[in-house]
Amino acid sequence: VSTQSTWGRTDLMTDAESDPPSLIVLPQDAAVELAERSEHVAEIEEFDEAAKAPESALVPDDSPQTPRSWWKHFFHTMGPGMVVMLADTDAGCLITAAQTGAAMGFSIIPVQLILIPALYMAQELTVRLGVLTRQGHGELIRDHFGKVWAWISVVPLIVACIGALITEMSGVIGIGEMYGLQPWVCCLLLGLFLMLIVLTSSYSTVEKIALVIGAFELVYIVTMFYSPAPAKEFWSSVVSFPVQNNYYRFLVAANIGAVVMPWMIFYQQSAVVDKGLQPQDLKFERIDTLVGSFITQLIMCAVIITTGSSMWSSSLPQDGSTYLPPECRDGGNETLMVDVGDLSVGDFSCALVARMGPGAGRTLYSLGLAGGSIIGSIVVTLTAAWGLGEVTGYKRSLSSRPKNAPWFFVVYGSCILIGAIVPLAAGSQALIKISLVVQVVNAMLLPMVLGFLWMLALRALPEDHRLKGWYKWVSGAVFAVVSGMGVIFGILGLIDGA
């Protein structure tokens, strides 16, 4: 963008050098547009200067920042990383973690911990790309690899977003059934809430709402301490890796897909652009992302421990079976062995009911699952609307009104509608299996998603910020291993009928 534009100049007339320029009175609309253009030019020039600086210059080591100003800057910047990480433990992921603990005990906890570096590496690159290029993920793929590849990347993204939204609706339906609400009422209430916040809020407001709602997931960290497992049984399960078991392999694929999800990469990159983060914010958004990476994995492990300690035993055959405590059934005082896939969303509250009683157990379970469902719904619907707009070029910002960005709101609303119809048609008994399959599909999309992310970090970033040296090869190897495990274990699980 050049500040030497001839738009609106009065010195282009004949003899402009000798005669004083004429005074032109612009209409109000034109004057406003000229002012906005001038401000936009200044912002872009300021950003370009900052982007050219080496990374070490973004936040100088000798900066006179006081602890108070450091924290003020951090809290001003934080948000996109924490929101996407809390959305990472959405309803589908929480249900997957609950299934994992109930059916396989604690054997997949090491996988959850190993995934923390991979999760941070992927999301940190999206932060770098968004802050330093000021473009969304789909835009960068289109500009560097062409429109065909952009469409190839965004179509599976839309499918993944709708699949995730189906699991969010499933989670809300499951909570509603625990309290006697009809499924259509639950879907209607969530759909109206999602439309309301984008029609009446800016990005900043939506982010704050998402953070408050997502914080309810932290209750699972509390419930974990109410569900202690015998130490010997816990550690023997943690160090076991029954890779020969097809159900274990299937759950590993589902857990990989539940941790590193395609829509997270698109969302966080679009979010830092919509929020207007600058290169000097990069350091703080990295911290935001790192802290969120640990929190989301702690929540996943907490859910696994909570259900595993109450519903799993080493005596189970490890074929997808679990124990259903008597507190979860009307009548009878015996523990039943059932197929975990036949349980409803509400049945997993048994893990807390058995330890904390029906009142506290169901309430805490509901709060955590509701938090994951709602923040996940916000993030995946925004991701679909942003991602498609990045490829097609329609206007897409939470600062826009429907009349100025109609397609953004049409896509957003359409995702909500589809996400509600499918679980209503499928019925509550199919929701658990749907959630697990959605996570496995996410895992199978990772080679393409992480592949594009890695290549963009090599091509699209300014020279001083590109992947290089040992970190380039380490990140590439980590992405290849995670993607390969997700695809191979997912296919083997499907072939074996898991």
Side-chain angles (χ1 to χ4, degrees), residues 87-349:
D88 188 20
T89 42
D90 64 348
C93 297
L94 294 174
I95 293 170
T96 298
Q99 286 178 283
T100 300
M104 297 299 299
F106 316 106
S107 57
I108 296 184
I109 286 180
V111 176
Q112 293 289 343
L113 298 178
I114 291 170
L115 287 172
I116 293 176
L119 177 60
Y120 174 73
M121 284 179 176
Q123 296 306 127
E124 187 274 334
L125 288 182
T126 68
V127 171
R128 221 187 288 190
L129 288 165
V131 170
L132 296 172
T133 68
R134 304 290 295 165
Q135 289 182 284
H137 201 68
E139 286 180 285
L140 288 180
I141 293 174
R142 181 194 63 199
D143 292 349
H144 289 271
F145 299 100
K147 290 184 178 180
V148 173
W149 282 111
W151 277 106
I152 290 174
S153 69
V154 82
V155 170
L157 170 72
I158 301 299
V159 173
C161 287
I162 292 175
L165 191 55
I166 290 170
T167 68
E168 320 305 356
M169 292 287 183
S170 301
V172 173
I173 289 172
I175 296 169
E177 288 180 340
M178 292 169 58
Y179 297 97
L181 290 177
Q182 292 293 320
W184 68 269
V185 174
C186 300
C187 291
L188 178 62
L189 290 175
L190 179 56
L192 290 175
F193 172 77
L194 293 174
M195 290 304 302
L196 181 65
I197 62 171
V198 299
L199 289 172
T200 61
S201 305
S202 63
Y203 172 81
S204 178
T205 304
V206 171
E207 182 180 86
K208 289 180 175 66
I209 293 172
L211 284 171
V212 171
I213 293 173
F216 284 111
E217 296 177 50
L218 299 177
V219 301
Y220 289 122
I221 298 175
V222 176
T223 66
M224 174 176 63
F225 292 102
Y226 277 88
S227 308
K232 183 177 180 180
E233 189 172 59
F234 176 83
W235 288 111
S236 64
S237 177
V238 166
V239 298
S240 66
F241 299 95
V243 292
Q244 75 284 355
N245 184 293
N246 67 306
Y247 197 74
Y248 174 84
R249 295 195 297 263
F250 190 69
L251 283 177
V252 168
N255 278 266
I256 290 173
V259 172
V260 186
M261 292 187 276
W263 49 262
M264 293 175 63
I265 291 168
F266 278 78
Y267 173 84
Q268 191 168 4
Q269 189 165 331
S270 298
V272 299
V273 173
D274 209 340
K275 186 168 183 174
L277 296 187
Q278 301 295 319
Q280 61 266 25
D281 302 319
L282 184 58
K283 171 183 176 180
F284 297 92
E285 184 53 26
R286 282 171 167 164
I287 297 173
D288 179 34
T289 303
L290 180 63
V291 173
S293 300
F294 279 94
I295 290 176
T296 187
Q297 293 307 92
L298 178 59
I299 293 171
M300 289 290 283
C301 291
V303 175
I304 291 173
I305 292 171
T306 299
T307 56
S309 61
S310 300
M311 304 177 70
W312 174 82
S313 170
S314 57
S315 62
L316 285 167
Q318 293 192 338
D319 59 355
S321 300
T322 190
Y323 288 126
L324 191 63
E327 292 88 349
C328 298
R329 296 180 293 112
D330 296 328
N333 57 4
E334 296 181 357
T335 298
L336 296 180
M337 189 171 70
V338 297
D339 190 300
V340 72
D342 294 332
L343 297 178
S344 68
V345 174
D347 285 335
F348 289 109
S349 67

